[in-house]
Amino acid sequence: MPIEKFIKIQSSAVPVKIENVDTDQIIPARFLKAVERKGFGDNLFRDWRYDKSNNPISGFPLNEIKYSGQILIGGKNFGSGSSREHAAWALYDYGFKVVVSSFFADIFKGNALNNGLLPVQVTSDELSEIFEAIDTDTQATFSIDLVQQTFTIDPSDKVIDFEINPYKKECLLQGYDDIDYLLSLKNEIAVFESRE
Amino acid sequence: MSKSMTLFDKIWDGHTVKSIENGPSVMYIDRHYIHEVTSPVAFLGLEKRGLNVANPQKTTATPDHNIPTQDQHLTIQDALSKNQVDKLMKNCKNHNIPLYGLNHKWQGIVHVIGPELGLTQPGMTIVCGDSHTSTHGAFGCVAFGIGTSEVEMVLGTQCIMQPKPKKMRIKIDGVLSKGVTAKDIALYIISQISTSGGTGHFIEYAGSAIEGLTMEGRMTLCNMSIESGARGGLIAPDQTTFEYLKNREFSPKDQKWEYAMAKWALLKTDEDASFHKEYLFHAKDIEPMITFGTNPGMGTGVTGHIPLAASLVENERVTYEKSLQYMGFSDGDKLQGKSIDYVFIGSCTNGRIEDLREFAHFIKGKKKAENITAWIVPGSKQVEVQAQEEGLLAILEAAGFELRQPGCSACLAMNDDKIPAGKYAVSTSNRNFEGRQGPGARTLLASPLVAAACAISGKITDPREYLN
């Protein structure tokens, strides 16, 4: 199905200052039993957000009223482990449109892009600056412009350029998905198959 | 003169239907495996678009992730799990996809049955909505895990779009010491290059220690490639590969077999082909390994100590301390002798017949420690049957163990096989993430041999103490 278009956003951000956030933390396996794509946001970071009795765990950034916004800032190596696309679905369903880290796991990055969730990779120094901006003002905003491929730390006006594959950029800007494109290659795929 | 190519290049380029400038490649997929958890939304997507499955015979389905490992002949008790398994059966029926369901003699963990049935063959591109699809690289395949959107792409078009990864070669030279297995090689590599060291790359494993591995050992090693962040890992096929595949259910037969072998023998990296990154390790440096933290890179030799937090930079230290706190360990602790509660033998990493054999031969004539609850879960129905026929079941039972029924089980604890909060499990699976084996569960990854030694003594133990 077509994905939601992404052009630019300005928002405050939620900092999760933990490295190697694996997809089992983003959405634990016991919540993968649905046969439809809905409601995964409720269980985003389930075991970091809620204790055994389903009470919110204080101190976890998603439970802190002072943090909000459509941007999640994560530590290095975000999204490692399982290929579950439910991780991207859970983040998106919760309301995040952008995930920022100094390093993303490959499968997670692909899954995010296929669902209109923009992964923005920055350097580790830039990541520290972003965390510092939030430490200084929890409601500090950031502006992401996909056309320009820029991530701006608004309080300091610092502009960070980020990379994105030109094909994927176009998909996000236009709201296209890969299947639409693959279906348009029907003849080329048939020719390839006949060569086998 | 033609350009020198790696084995990975040869397979990747040979399956590229189209390259988009500055974009991903359109890759043709030879073999697609599906299971109950990551496929339903893909079928739903196909239906919404009014599409049929392009090549039903190139997809194979089996339920494995959420199924019970006891009383499989009865109705699945968990309503949500049952619904997913029913959905898989219905989707496969509607789209004519071969399915090996719960009571089929070929059912099992998808990455165990593919090779076992000869569906996985050298030179193929193989995908599945599961990161451990890298397992199939053991046969000289480009095999990797995909998300559900991509499962839909393969079902609908037999293709996916992928940026071409960089190439990495990891050589292990020499002879493995007694008590050291493929699992130890995998945990050793990840402890050296970290869980992100392979990111963006596809690994080729080479060197004499790799050539000396059995097919099952090679599968264990390639299976764990994803734990270093790599897209996948492969090993050039050789005589060991061919012997394994000969006479398997779906392997080519007669003249076709001869033709296939001739073709497969060409699947090698050219001598002067280059890689973006190369590592060389020595087999003699590898000990039986065990993990102590909450990612597979946090591992050490079983005789070792937990490294000191003070040696890390601040960002890393915060994550490290959080990890040790979860595990209930302190830095500097000696691992040997720590008491454990559970032992899990199974998963797509170590649930094959050779793993059960290794475990059974080790515990033969000994007794399970009283403080240990052990779950021994075969990777497939065929492994289960073979374990009975070889007499492994009798050995296990005499030592106080029982064999369960095939499935992913406690590796990801989607079924009832959950390690209770706070308990320690020595597990032959692939991930020790927080809560992976159940909320609050504490996982220590190890080989079947290390797990066997722990199951007998009730604490972290070096199997070499028994082997000498």
Side-chain angles (χ1 to χ4, degrees):
Chain A
M1 293 296 103
I3 54 173
E4 201 176 313
K5 285 183 191 179
F6 187 110
I7 298 166
K8 56 167 79 174
I9 66 165
Q10 183 181 38
S11 169
S12 53
V14 181
V16 176
K17 285 188 197 175
I18 300 168
E19 295 189 346
N20 304 315
V21 173
D22 59 77
T23 53
D24 271 86
Q25 308 317 315
I26 299 173
I27 180 112
R30 62 187 191 279
F31 300 113
L32 306 184
K33 293 185 182 179
V35 294
E36 286 176 272
R37 190 197 148 171
K38 59 182 180 197
F40 289 106
D42 294 343
N43 295 314
L44 176 67
F45 290 115
R46 182 75 196 198
D47 294 336
W48 285 353
R49 255 167 92 194
Y50 300 103
D51 65 16
K52 272 184 284 186
S53 320
N54 290 326
N55 296 314
I57 298 171
S58 71
F60 187 64
L62 268 69
N63 293 334
E64 301 278 295
I65 294 166
K66 61 184 178 182
Y67 299 124
S68 62
Q70 297 177 297
I71 307 168
L72 181 88
I73 318 285
K76 190 177 83 179
N77 197 23
F78 190 90
S80 57
S82 159
S83 58
R84 60 190 68 164
E85 194 160 318
H86 312 67
W89 297 341
L91 287 161
Y92 196 84
D93 188 48
Y94 183 87
F96 291 116
K97 296 278 186 285
V98 178
V99 188
V100 180
S101 176
S102 58
F103 202 86
F104 289 99
D106 293 327
I107 304 180
F108 174 79
K109 194 173 181 176
N111 286 339
L113 287 165
N114 282 338
N115 286 281
L117 176 69
L118 179 68
V120 172
Q121 188 164 328
V122 298
T123 65
S124 50
D125 287 344
E126 288 162 351
L127 188 67
S128 303
E129 276 184 63
I130 296 166
F131 280 136
E132 276 164 29
I134 302 171
D135 285 345
T136 309
D137 173 9
T138 56
Q139 286 305 306
T141 62
F142 304 88
S143 300
I144 294 105
D145 183 330
L146 181 56
V147 176
Q148 299 299 323
Q149 295 181 218
T150 54
F151 178 97
T152 308
I153 304 174
D154 293 339
S156 63
D157 281 330
K158 168 150 182 163
V159 179
I160 300 166
D161 296 316
F162 65 87
E163 306 245 332
I164 181 168
N165 182 296
Y167 165 82
K168 275 295 174 194
K169 177 178 173 178
E170 196 57 23
C171 286
L172 284 178
L173 288 172
Q174 305 294 339
Y176 293 156
D177 71 10
D178 285 353
I179 305 188
D180 297 331
Y181 179 75
L182 287 173
L183 289 169
S184 76
L185 298 180
K186 217 172 171 181
N187 292 337
E188 279 155 288
I189 296 169
V191 168
F192 183 91
E193 279 183 325
S194 68
R195 283 205 329 246
E196 276 195 317
Chain B
M1 210 182 90
S2 68
K3 201 172 142 263
S4 296
M5 291 171 93
T6 67
L7 170 57
F8 171 76
D9 286 323
K10 291 178 189 180
I11 302 172
W12 183 279
D13 294 356
H15 286 80
T16 303
V17 176
K18 186 183 171 119
S19 296
I20 302 168
E21 205 181 334
N22 297 318
S25 312
V26 177
M27 299 291 300
Y28 191 81
I29 301 303
D30 295 321
R31 181 73 64 211
H32 183 208
Y33 296 117
I34 60 171
H35 59 84
E36 76 280 20
V37 175
T38 56
S39 67
V41 173
F43 281 106
L44 214 57
L46 280 190
E47 279 157 28
K48 279 187 187 156
R49 289 172 204 262
L51 291 174
N52 285 321
V53 173
N55 284 291
Q57 295 304 316
K58 293 193 177 186
T59 293
T60 302
T62 196
D64 58 3
H65 276 62
N66 74 26
I67 57 174
T69 55
Q70 285 177 316
D71 295 328
Q72 287 184 350
H73 62 291
L74 302 177
T75 307
I76 299 176
Q77 295 299 309
D78 180 303
L80 292 174
S81 296
K82 181 177 183 302
N83 187 36
Q84 266 189 337
V85 173
D86 289 348
K87 209 53 149 195
L88 180 70
M89 295 200 297
K90 190 170 143 258
N91 285 329
C92 289
K93 190 160 181 263
N94 288 347
H95 294 279
N96 294 315
I97 293 170
L99 164 82
Y100 306 128
L102 257 195
N103 295 308
H104 194 283
K105 64 176 181 180
W106 292 342
Q107 180 270 335
I109 303 174
V110 70
H111 308 308
V112 175
I113 71 164
E116 184 173 79
L117 291 170
L119 286 163
T120 293
Q121 296 169 14
M124 282 183 164
T125 47
I126 300 179
V127 295
C128 173
D130 186 282
S131 60
H132 293 107
T133 309
S134 57
T135 310
H136 308 270
F139 292 81
C141 299
V142 170
F144 52 89
I146 57 176
T148 297
S149 297
E150 292 163 316
V151 171
E152 186 182 339
M153 292 175 211
V154 182
L155 290 172
T157 69
Q158 206 57 37
C159 287
I160 56 167
M161 309 197 49
Q162 283 288 308
K164 188 175 179 179
K166 291 180 182 166
K167 293 158 288 180
M168 176 186 288
R169 180 159 58 189
I170 299 180
K171 270 192 175 175
I172 318 262
D173 278 338
V175 181
L176 294 174
S177 313
K178 202 171 180 182
V180 178
T181 65
K183 181 63 165 288
D184 303 303
I185 301 181
L187 290 173
Y188 177 81
I189 291 173
I190 305 160
S191 76
Q192 298 294 308
I193 74 171
S194 90
T195 54
S196 59
T199 304
H201 292 76
F202 210 98
I203 301 171
E204 177 172 349
Y205 298 100
S208 51
I210 306 298
E211 286 159 21
L213 293 175
T214 61
M215 276 325 290
E216 310 214 333
R218 293 178 191 187
M219 284 188 252
T220 299
L221 176 60
C222 289
N223 172 280
M224 297 280 289
S225 301
I226 180 71
E227 309 313 335
S228 71
R231 270 323 249 122
L234 49 58
I235 296 170
D238 59 11
Q239 206 51 42
T240 306
T241 321
F242 307 150
E243 274 162 27
Y244 178 97
L245 283 172
K246 197 168 187 186
N247 296 323
R248 299 262 161 192
E249 193 65 32
F250 294 97
S251 292
K253 304 276 157 33
D254 305 320
Q255 262 189 319
K256 281 186 181 160
W257 170 256
E258 299 300 326
Y259 174 75
M261 285 235 294
K263 206 172 68 169
W264 295 341
L266 303 174
L267 293 168
K268 286 183 188 4
T269 289
D270 296 331
E271 228 162 75
D272 44 357
S274 66
F275 291 81
H276 295 93
K277 210 160 193 180
E278 294 216 51
Y279 289 98
L280 173 65
F281 298 113
H282 301 284
K284 64 174 169 48
D285 296 336
I286 308 175
E287 268 197 283
M289 298 283 294
I290 193 156
T291 64
F292 53 82
T294 55
N295 75 55
M298 299 175 78
T300 178
V302 67
T303 57
H305 293 74
I306 298 175
L308 296 174
S311 62
L312 301 165
V313 297
E314 199 204 322
N315 288 353
E316 288 176 4
R317 196 166 61 232
V318 172
T319 304
Y320 188 79
E321 283 168 349
K322 178 178 183 297
S323 177
L324 291 189
Q325 193 188 1
Y326 179 87
M327 292 299 292
F329 291 155
S330 302
D331 61 343
D333 280 3
K334 185 176 167 62
L335 286 158
Q336 254 176 312
K338 279 187 182 290
S339 184
I340 56 159
D341 310 292
Y342 282 74
V343 167
F344 171 58
I345 308 290
S347 86
C348 58
T349 311
N350 283 122
R352 283 171 281 267
I353 189 66
E354 207 170 88
D355 303 311
L356 295 192
R357 236 179 249 151
E358 209 156 50
F359 183 84
H361 289 168
F362 188 94
I363 56 130
K364 191 176 181 178
K366 305 182 182 80
K367 285 277 178 219
K368 178 179 78 65
E370 279 190 7
N371 60 317
I372 296 293
T373 303
W375 293 334
I376 300 168
V377 183
S380 72
K381 286 276 197 306
Q382 293 202 67
V383 170
E384 184 185 7
V385 169
Q386 203 175 339
Q388 283 165 10
E389 287 174 357
E390 286 185 14
L392 304 183
L393 184 60
I395 297 173
L396 292 172
E397 283 175 353
F401 296 92
E402 53 159 347
L403 192 65
R404 295 169 86 104
Q405 291 172 302
C408 296
S409 181
C411 174
L412 82 169
M414 273 192 83
N415 67 355
D416 290 338
D417 305 346
K418 290 177 173 59
I419 309 294
K423 297 291 182 190
Y424 290 97
V426 172
S427 175
T428 65
S429 54
N430 39 58
R431 289 187 173 135
N432 50 357
F433 297 150
E434 282 184 33
R436 172 78 179 183
Q437 297 196 288
R442 293 160 162 170
T443 303
L444 299 96
L445 300 174
S447 73
L449 220 48
V450 170
C454 297
I456 296 304
S457 65
K459 50 189 198 260
I460 298 178
T461 303
D462 184 347
R464 293 171 298 188
E465 286 174 21
Y466 291 85
L467 295 174
N468 291 330

